Structure formats: structure tokens, C-alpha cells
Amino acid sequence: MQRIAFFLIGIILAGCGGSGSDSGANTPPETPANSISRCAVQSTPQIITSDNIRFYLQSQYLSHQQSSVVATLANGTSSGYQFHWQQTSGTPLTLTVTDNAVLPFVADSSGDYGFEVTIANAEQQYTAIINVIVTEGDGLSIRLDHQVVEGADVSLRVDRRSGSSIQNLSWCVAYGPDVTLNLDDVEVPLFTTPQVNSDSLLILRATGTANDVQLSDDVNLLITNEAAIDSAYFDKPIARTHSYRADSPWRNALQGCVYSNQLANSCTLTTLPLIGQETAENASDKAAIMNRVLVSHDWMGKNFEAFLDNLDPHSDFATLLQSVTAIVISYDVRPSFYWVATGAIYLDPEDLWLTAAERDTINEAADYRSAFGQDLQFLVPWRYVKNNDYASIYRSPALRQSRSLSELEPDLASLLYHELAHANDYFPRSIHSSLQGPTLVDDYNRRSANKALGSDQLTNTLPLQSTEMQSLAEVNFLGDNATATERSYSPADVASFFSPDRANDFYNYSTSREDAAMLFEEAMMSYRLGIQRDVAVTDKPAVISSSTVTVNWGQRGRIAEPAIQPRAAMIIDYLMPELDGATIEATLPPPVAMRTGESWLANLALSNNGKNTPQLVSPKNISEQPLRLSGERQPRTQQ
């Protein structure tokens, strides 16, 4: 996600993917850019206008190739309007995106296809039907034709044709304004859309060869014209979003209060209260929660609702969600975070997709913090495990695989436990009735000044000890420059700072808020799901992967360390008083030491036979997964 500028208070932003920074001073590193020329043969879309709707049609439609129909209003603006598409004729298609100006689809057979689009706002509605003819063909597919706001970060991905390698891949502009691409990964170009005066079509073309056959495809992007930014919170354009539930009583307040370029001040609690402050709905009412969901694509809300319905048996998340104003799920959110300025949580949909088509809609731009800490000589990887195997399954975007709802659980549950720990740290249910407002920021400032937050109480009572880890965290997570001494620290040095202290992860040291959230996340994952967390200090080889980094020190289930147990119990009692933190901690499996001198991957299979000493376990046929480093939610692709 783009870096968010905020100026009201310190520690407004927090989260397992959130920066935890006290200010907006750290900005993403500049991304390398490659100029691309205009194509020798331009693509001229067919433009048809019907009932004040302007359609852009491709010059040809081929079966098995990613295609689209683009619509906007005839005057070239669609701001403030909602879109709804449906198929009216032809062989039934799987339509994943039906709520944007661009309707992407893949037809498996030739034939005539018809689509109806409705474009509406509170005052006006326009409806028209358009037909296209698909002919037999096959070729390169670029994912994904879609709508994007001006000035926004965009990623595309070339479909490898069932895993085939694409050779001699090149890009050019086939129609519309000029753009500059970051082609560090030529199959996944990144770029920023140009400013436009009205909704404008951009067509990029990729050309390459596979199995000695030359292939090409055009990708259609509708760049939408937006109002000039007038916000104390957002300094770059953000995606268009809408209420997941069209009949939500909070529909009009949601976007303006939590995800808008026009958000100049925090909304009052009377305009958008915490979910738990609604007197007519109880804490287990999932309808109240779904009424607060804001999405860029409807599938995101649908999958989130399915998760709550099927994978929240103890109502942990329904209960914890009482302390937020809204849930924002958008293709441009990366990393996930909680923000006290709006009272909302912002979720990266990478943890919610079920089909390859859904995943296609997600921006693949890297976490802006991935360049931090480059001068340090160590890594702190982590993972969740169950039965000596990865708890979650990594599926490469290039393979275009689907996954089951149950596969969402390890990553999404840990994310929600973490982000909702922040929300309940700031505004636990016990104080909802006594919040004074007029905004959440006002109440936060009062509570923070009085050191009344659970994370404050944790720090005051059972503080972390290592000043070295604190300073290193400022480098690794907040972007500070490393000192000569910090650059010289070896993995053994860092292990000697970290292992005797009372943090369960390196990220705990970034802020006191993250300290509390990390403790709660790991404890609840182990207690509710029987999933343990691994953490280690390793070297930093030139080629970084799970099989190349060597463990200097590591543990599985560190949350059950005797020195850490009281801290975890304390924060559990604060965040979820209906549970007993000490009892939970007593039930968790004892920590298991890793085997030093072996790779991170080799340490996946561990056993302590009832003792806190590592024992060799017969290796399993386990596929290597990309490394996850402390503070990062998404795996770091192997280099």
C-alpha cells in the first residue's frame, strides 16, 4: 500500500503489517523505472455509446485469453457511481469482478456473449447491454484488465501458459497516455498511473515467445479521474471502495470516514461509532459487523463473511471486532494495519482470496518496509507450524491455483488476532460506554496521556530489557540508519540480546503496541488452533531462502517461555477478560529449541521428547516455502 501521511498525533498507525511509526517521515524507497515506447502497431478500441454509457471494446476477443469490456459515463467521469455487471447471453462465464467499471473475463469457447451494466448513484441510473463476439484462439494472457485511480500504484502479471517460460518478453504502450514501468521482474511490471482529466483508457501490450511461438496480449486499464486530494490523512490516491452491503445503515458514513482522499478530520463517534457502541445489536451479531465492511471488490467481503461464519467457532473475532468502526479490504492495502485516527482495520486481501481470478485483482506492490535494515548482518524469520509442517500452504501466483476456505485460517486468523489486539488495546469493550469523544483520537490522547492502555500497563509492569534490540528494531522496522556498531552485529550477538529477554519476536521491540499484539497473536494461535510459532536468528547469505539461511538460535512456541508467560497472560486478561490468561499460558506446549548450524528449512521438523533440547526428526518430503521475516506478513519471494 502507498505510504499514508498523518499529522494529528503520534502512534496513529499500528499493525502487524502496519509501520508502528510515530510519524509520516519514512517514505517508500524509489522504485527503478524503465521507459517503454509506444507499440509500432497501436490498438484502437471500438467505442460504442448507449444510454449515456460509453463502452470500450477490444479490437478482437479470443477464447482462453483474458479479455474485458470497459464502461464509463459518456462525459468521461464515473466518480461517485456504483457499477453492476451481469451476463445476458452466451455460454455462462465465471465473473469475479462485477462491481467495477471494467468487466474482466475469460471465455473458454467461441461465440456471442452479452453483458448488461448498470451505473448508478443516489440521483441517477443508466443501464445498457453490450455484445461481443469471441473467436477461437489462444495466446498470452496479462492479468488483469481493471479500473484504477489516477496516480495509484499498479501491478500486472503475465500468465505463463500452464507454467511455460516466456522468453524475450517486452512491453509497449498500445493506446492512451505514456507510462514508465518498473521491469525488475519483467513478468510482473509495476508502475504509477498518470494524472488524467477524465476517465481514460490505457492499453499496454506484452509480447514474448513460448515453445518457439510468438505471443502477445493487450491489457486494458481504465484510469479514473478523481477529485484533488484534500486530506490530512492520505497523501496519495487510494482505490475506489464501496459498502459491501448495499443496504448498510452506515453506507454513507463508511467511505467518507475511513477511506477517502477527502478525509480532512476524524469523524465523530456520533457519525461512526465503534461497532460495540451500537445498542440495538449484540456482540455476536455478524450482521452488525458486515454492515461496517468497505471493499474494493465484492468477493473480498464475501470471503470475509464466510470466514466469520465458518471459522470463528468461539466468536473471538466477532467479539474483538466490537472495538473497530469499520473493516476496509482493498486491493491496494499492503501491509495490513489498524488506524486509531479512523478506528478501522485495513486488511490486505492476499489473506482472503480463494480463486486465481480473485487473486488477479490484488496489487502485488511490495511492502514499503522491505528495503529497511539492508545494512544489518542478520535475519529474524518466523513461521506458523502444526505437526512439524507449515501451517499454511504457499501457492505461487504464477501457478494460478485455487484454495479452500479452511486454508485461509492460519494466515487470516493470526492477522486478525494481531490487528484486533491493537483495536482492543486502545478501546477495550469495558470503556465503550464511557468514551467521551468527540472523536476516537480525542479519547486516545486522553488514555495515552494517562498511560491507560493495556500495552502501557504491560510496559510499566513487565518491560522489555534489551536496549540493543530496541535500537535494531528502529532500523529494521522504522527505517532509521544503522550505526557502525549495529552494522557489525553478528547473528550470535543478536541472539545473545534477544533470547534471554521477554519478547516473543523481534517485532515486539518496534513499539509497545506491537509488543502487546505479538504476545496476544501467538498465544491465541497456539491456544485456539494448536498452531505454534517459530522464530530464529539466522545469518544473511547473498541468496536468501528457507534452505540457505542458517539458524544461530531459534525456538518453537516461545510464547510458553516462563519469562514470557506472565506478559502474555496479562495482555490476554486485558484484551479478552472472559478468558483466563494464566490458565491459557499453562496449557500451551513448552518451547522447543532449534538445532543450531542447520538451515531454517531443516528445522521445520523438531521434537523435544518432553525436554527443552532439540532432537533429530526423520526428514519429511516437505516443499520449501519462501521466507517470512519479522514484521512481514507476506512471504519474501526466494531470490
Side-chain angles (χ1 to χ4, degrees):
M1 180 187 169
Q2 67 279 344
R3 183 65 168 170
I4 294 175
F6 49 89
F7 310 102
L8 296 184
I9 59 172
I11 309 274
I12 283 184
L13 186 70
C16 93
S19 75
S21 173
D22 288 357
S23 74
N26 296 320
T27 56
E30 292 291 330
T31 54
N34 302 83
S35 296
I36 59 171
S37 61
R38 302 195 72 84
C39 304
V41 178
Q42 292 281 287
S43 289
T44 304
Q46 182 182 5
I47 301 176
I48 298 175
T49 301
S50 175
D51 190 25
N52 206 37
I53 297 176
R54 178 186 299 158
F55 291 98
Y56 294 93
L57 305 183
Q58 297 175 195
S59 56
Q60 65 173 347
Y61 288 88
L62 299 178
S63 61
H64 309 291
Q65 193 172 50
Q66 202 270 303
S67 303
S68 69
V69 176
V70 180
T72 188
L73 293 180
N75 63 2
T77 181
S78 57
S79 179
Y81 286 83
Q82 293 284 301
F83 287 74
H84 177 70
W85 293 87
Q86 60 182 350
Q87 185 179 354
T88 58
S89 63
T91 304
L93 301 171
T94 300
L95 301 179
T96 300
V97 181
T98 59
D99 53 354
N100 279 216
V102 180
L103 176 71
F105 65 91
V106 176
D108 292 329
S109 59
S110 61
D112 294 348
Y113 293 83
F115 307 98
E116 180 184 80
V117 64
T118 298
I119 307 177
N121 62 14
E123 293 80 31
Q124 297 172 306
Q125 178 173 304
Y126 306 98
T127 300
I129 293 177
I130 196 72
N131 294 281
V132 301
I133 299 175
V134 176
T135 58
E136 284 296 329
D138 194 9
L140 204 63
S141 276
I142 309 174
R143 314 284 177 165
L144 181 74
D145 293 22
H146 64 283
Q147 164 194 298
V148 61
V149 299
E150 59 183 348
D153 295 332
V154 180
S155 68
L156 302 171
R157 177 173 283 275
V158 175
D159 190 341
R160 289 193 178 190
R161 285 172 51 95
S162 302
S164 299
S165 177
I166 306 297
Q167 305 296 324
N168 305 315
L169 190 63
S170 63
W171 293 84
C172 60
V173 177
Y175 182 86
D178 292 331
V179 293
T180 301
L181 306 187
N182 171 4
L183 294 175
D184 282 354
D185 184 343
V186 71
E187 293 187 15
V188 187
L190 307 174
F191 62 99
T192 300
T193 55
Q195 298 295 314
V196 295
N197 295 321
S198 62
D199 293 355
S200 302
L201 186 66
L202 168 65
I203 303 178
L204 298 178
R205 180 177 300 154
T207 304
T209 58
N211 302 322
D212 297 324
V213 177
Q214 185 168 359
L215 305 167
S216 68
D217 186 30
D218 289 354
V219 60
N220 296 280
L221 301 168
L222 184 69
I223 304 172
T224 60
N225 181 34
E226 305 296 331
I229 297 174
D230 181 18
S231 175
Y233 300 91
F234 299 98
D235 65 346
K236 291 189 66 177
I238 57 177
R240 287 186 178 181
T241 54
H242 58 272
S243 173
Y244 170 63
R245 289 202 167 165
D247 60 351
S248 167
W250 303 102
R251 178 182 179 182
N252 293 332
L254 278 176
Q255 187 176 59
C257 286
V258 300
Y259 211 52
S260 169
N261 285 338
Q262 305 301 301
L263 180 57
N265 299 288
S266 295
C267 287
T268 65
L269 286 170
T270 55
T271 303
L272 189 66
L274 298 173
I275 295 174
Q277 291 181 293
E278 292 187 54
T279 57
E281 295 163 316
N282 60 53
S284 62
D285 188 348
K286 291 189 176 65
I289 295 170
M290 296 311 300
N291 280 337
R292 302 298 191 94
V293 175
L294 194 70
V295 297
S296 62
H297 297 77
D298 283 337
W299 70 260
M300 299 171 184
K302 178 182 176 182
N303 293 355
F304 183 72
E305 185 171 22
F307 178 85
L308 292 180
D309 286 340
N310 296 281
L311 296 174
D312 189 20
H314 305 286
S315 294
D316 286 350
F317 305 122
T319 299
L320 293 166
L321 281 163
Q322 302 307 301
S323 291
V324 304
T325 59
I327 303 96
V328 179
I329 315 172
S330 178
Y331 73 83
D332 61 342
V333 172
R334 176 162 294 186
S336 300
F337 61 97
Y338 166 79
W339 206 4
V340 71
T342 61
I345 56 170
Y346 300 76
L347 302 181
D348 182 345
E350 177 64 24
D351 291 321
L352 280 161
W353 65 268
L354 295 176
T355 69
E358 291 174 349
R359 195 179 197 180
D360 288 338
T361 66
I362 303 172
N363 192 355
E364 296 189 58
D367 184 332
Y368 66 83
R369 301 164 306 160
S370 59
F372 293 169
Q374 293 298 304
D375 293 338
L376 302 179
Q377 303 306 309
F378 67 93
L379 299 173
V380 183
W382 69 274
R383 64 192 167 204
Y384 276 113
V385 298
K386 191 169 186 176
N387 299 324
N388 277 331
D389 202 350
Y390 289 98
S392 59
I393 300 173
Y394 173 73
R395 299 187 181 277
S396 169
L399 299 181
R400 299 192 55 73
Q401 296 175 323
S402 296
R403 60 183 180 180
S404 65
L405 182 66
S406 62
E407 284 186 45
L408 303 186
E409 188 170 51
D411 287 336
L412 185 54
S414 61
L415 173 66
L416 289 175
Y417 278 129
H418 188 108
E419 300 305 342
L420 295 174
H422 289 306
N424 286 267
D425 180 18
Y426 291 4
F427 307 110
R429 285 164 286 141
S430 60
I431 70 164
H432 287 185
S433 62
S434 61
L435 292 175
Q436 302 173 42
T439 71
L440 285 174
V441 171
D442 295 314
D443 277 300
Y444 169 82
N445 284 336
R446 285 188 287 266
R447 287 173 50 74
S448 179
N450 294 325
K451 300 295 183 182
L453 277 66
S455 52
D456 291 329
Q457 297 172 29
L458 179 69
T459 298
N460 291 339
T461 306
L462 297 167
L464 297 176
Q465 304 293 325
S466 176
T467 56
E468 294 89 352
M469 294 302 297
Q470 173 74 42
S471 182
L472 288 169
E474 291 172 358
V475 173
N476 202 68
F477 305 117
L478 307 183
D480 287 1
N481 293 325
T483 66
T485 299
E486 289 166 341
R487 291 194 296 271
S488 70
Y489 285 146
S490 69
D493 293 328
V494 176
S496 71
F497 304 147
F498 178 55
S499 60
D501 204 2
R502 299 186 288 200
N504 61 315
D505 190 80
F506 185 20
Y507 199 39
N508 295 58
Y509 295 94
S510 61
T511 69
S512 61
R513 315 309 184 207
E514 298 300 344
D515 183 22
M518 288 303 306
L519 292 166
F520 184 72
E521 173 194 330
E522 181 175 347
M524 294 301 291
M525 288 294 289
S526 183
Y527 175 63
R528 290 299 200 199
L529 302 176
I531 293 176
Q532 292 182 281
R533 199 174 195 275
D534 285 357
V535 64
V537 179
T538 76
D539 61 351
K540 191 176 183 180
V543 177
I544 298 173
S545 73
S546 298
S547 59
T548 60
V549 299
T550 301
V551 172
N552 181 273
W553 169 92
Q555 276 186 314
R556 174 165 299 166
R558 181 168 168 80
I559 195 68
E561 270 287 332
I564 297 176
Q565 285 183 334
R567 305 185 81 242
M570 181 177 178
I571 205 64
I572 291 170
D573 289 340
Y574 179 87
L575 299 177
M576 294 196 76
E578 54 268 61
L579 302 177
D580 183 273
T583 299
I584 288 175
E585 279 295 308
T587 66
L588 302 185
V592 182
M594 289 187 178
R595 299 183 295 272
T596 60
E598 297 186 25
S599 72
W600 176 247
L601 181 63
N603 270 283
L604 184 59
L606 295 174
S607 173
N608 65 1
N609 293 328
K611 302 176 182 179
N612 192 21
T613 54
Q615 304 291 323
L616 183 64
V617 175
S618 299
K620 301 168 64 177
N621 183 23
I622 296 173
S623 299
E624 181 172 0
Q625 293 196 14
L627 211 62
R628 296 187 185 195
L629 301 182
S630 183
E632 293 180 349
R633 277 289 161 185
Q634 306 309 328
R636 177 165 294 193
T637 304
Q638 291 168 238
Q639 301 174 0

